[in-house]
Amino acid sequence: MLGKTAGGLYWMFRFLERCENTARLVEAGFRIALTRSNDPASEWKSVVTTAGARSHYDAKYDSYEAAYVVDFLLRDPANPSSVLSAVEKARTNARMVRTALTTEVWEAVNEGWMGLKKTLKSPVKETDLPAVLGEIRRHSALVRGAMHGTMLRNDIYDFTQMGIALERADNTARIIDVKYYTLLPSASFVGSALDNVQWETILRSVSAHRSFRWLNDENMTPASVADFLILDPRFPRSLSFCSRILEESLGFLAKDYGTRLTCHDMISAQRDRLRGHTIATVFDEGLHQFITAFIDDINAIGQQIEKDYRFIG
């Protein structure tokens, strides 16, 4: 496969995943700022920080009001990771690799772009926000459904899976990290009732609340939530699950192309590190230190994939 095609597929699905992740972050911020917070500005600040858009936001606004944050994350062209910016980039990449996609996948992407462009043409009212966020998630789900139902399981599919897994892993890791260093007022709150409320918000922001409750109905603790989001191989947004998908997809490419590259060794090393941990050893090492190392690893792997398969992000 040409590097340009591989890169288009990879980034198309990274941007689509980013749209959904951003919508979930906004929903979590909206929920806690509306119902549980005595300091809404700090909640919205944490959302912007988690989204990795703090520098762009601070260059435009001097306060963290809900309306400003929502508009910036959903539709502001000054934010290169806003939902509107990301869906535009996803559609541009889809057009570039149109012949590598089934009709169903292309139509789902194109219709999603047209729908969201119309929906996000004007600032979103607070009363309309839940419906708009639901629409963003549904468009993402429609594209994934079309992909799973119609695409061959070949190298094209593998590059799409790598894009999704890398974006999800980075997003989940940043949410976990920001929890301790932005959401909590101080370290003295760890383990308190406030701490548990914040962990519940994290679960909702990665669509993990129901799944976690099925497995841990009476055990909402920082350790149990962190264990679920970091090490549980059954949850599709956990760090362990995303890392496994990356390893499998790269393994299929190595088999198809008959070549093992540097990125294959890097993902194998990361998988070994994850398998060597329990949540107790993660907390012994320091959650922040562990997550920071994971984010560095996942970003380095992504950059190496681009280098090894000769495409530019």
Side-chain angles (χ1 to χ4, degrees):
M1 183 188 297
L2 293 175
K4 184 177 181 180
T5 302
L9 292 163
Y10 170 89
W11 279 106
M12 168 189 166
F13 278 88
R14 283 203 74 160
F15 286 127
L16 287 171
E17 183 68 23
R18 192 169 298 175
C19 289
E20 182 174 354
N21 291 339
T22 300
R24 294 184 186 283
L25 280 174
V26 171
E27 182 178 40
F30 177 72
R31 183 191 300 270
I32 196 167
L34 184 66
T35 63
R36 298 179 177 178
S37 177
N38 293 322
D39 185 9
S42 68
E43 305 297 347
W44 287 115
K45 183 177 181 180
S46 74
V47 170
V48 174
T49 302
T50 305
R54 178 96 173 263
S55 60
H56 292 287
Y57 184 91
D58 288 344
K60 186 170 184 177
Y61 298 105
D62 56 8
S63 65
Y64 288 89
E65 296 182 25
Y68 294 161
V69 173
V70 170
D71 193 70
F72 183 77
L73 292 179
L74 295 188
R75 55 183 300 276
D76 196 328
N79 175 13
S81 292
S82 71
V83 168
L84 201 55
S85 297
V87 76
E88 175 79 32
K89 292 173 184 175
R91 197 243 188 186
T92 298
N93 279 283
R95 287 184 63 190
M96 184 177 69
V97 298
R98 174 68 184 85
T99 56
L101 302 173
T102 61
T103 300
E104 289 83 355
V105 173
W106 163 250
E107 288 178 348
V109 174
N110 195 46
E111 289 171 8
W113 170 73
M114 289 189 295
L116 290 178
K117 191 175 181 181
K118 180 179 179 180
T119 298
L120 298 175
K121 183 177 181 179
S122 303
V124 180
K125 297 178 182 178
E126 185 175 299
T127 54
D128 296 332
L129 186 58
V132 170
L133 297 176
E135 181 181 349
I136 294 168
R137 295 196 305 271
R138 283 192 297 273
H139 282 307
S140 179
L142 285 171
V143 177
R144 283 201 307 272
M147 179 189 67
H148 283 289
T150 66
M151 296 287 290
L152 291 172
R153 270 37 175 186
N154 55 10
D155 53 350
I156 292 173
Y157 184 83
D158 295 330
F159 279 108
T160 69
Q161 291 297 287
M162 289 194 298
I164 293 171
L166 277 161
E167 193 68 28
R168 280 189 183 178
D170 182 76
N171 182 71
T172 300
R174 290 181 186 280
I175 288 172
I176 296 170
D177 192 40
V178 169
K179 193 277 178 194
Y180 264 98
Y181 289 86
T182 305
L183 283 176
L184 288 180
S186 72
S188 64
F189 282 85
V190 174
S192 68
L194 173 62
D195 190 40
N196 290 338
V197 167
Q198 305 289 23
W199 279 112
E200 182 178 333
T201 303
I202 287 178
L203 289 170
R204 292 187 183 280
S205 69
V206 293
S207 295
H209 186 258
R210 181 66 60 85
S211 297
F212 177 84
R213 285 299 193 185
W214 282 336
L215 299 174
N216 302 275
D217 189 41
E218 303 296 333
N219 189 32
M220 175 73 77
T221 66
S224 64
V225 174
D227 185 36
F228 184 68
L229 295 181
I230 295 171
L231 299 174
D232 198 308
R234 298 164 294 181
F235 179 57
R237 293 180 181 272
S238 75
L239 305 189
S240 177
F241 187 99
C242 293
S243 182
R244 177 175 64 80
I245 294 299
L246 268 175
E247 184 180 44
E248 290 179 354
S249 298
L250 282 168
F252 292 141
L253 289 173
K255 183 178 179 181
D256 289 343
Y257 296 166
T259 304
R260 186 174 176 87
L261 303 169
T262 302
C263 58
H264 297 95
D265 296 330
M266 292 173 69
I267 189 60
S268 293
Q270 186 194 66
R271 292 288 293 150
D272 288 340
R273 286 192 289 274
L274 281 172
R275 282 190 286 261
H277 273 290
T278 64
I279 198 59
T281 62
V282 168
F283 276 98
D284 286 344
E285 178 181 328
L287 183 62
H288 175 64
Q289 289 75 14
F290 176 89
I291 293 297
T292 299
F294 180 90
I295 292 172
D296 290 343
D297 275 352
I298 212 71
N299 288 333
I301 291 168
Q303 292 167 6
Q304 191 63 45
I305 287 171
E306 295 180 37
K307 181 179 179 180
D308 287 345
Y309 288 100
R310 297 180 175 84
F311 60 84
I312 305 300

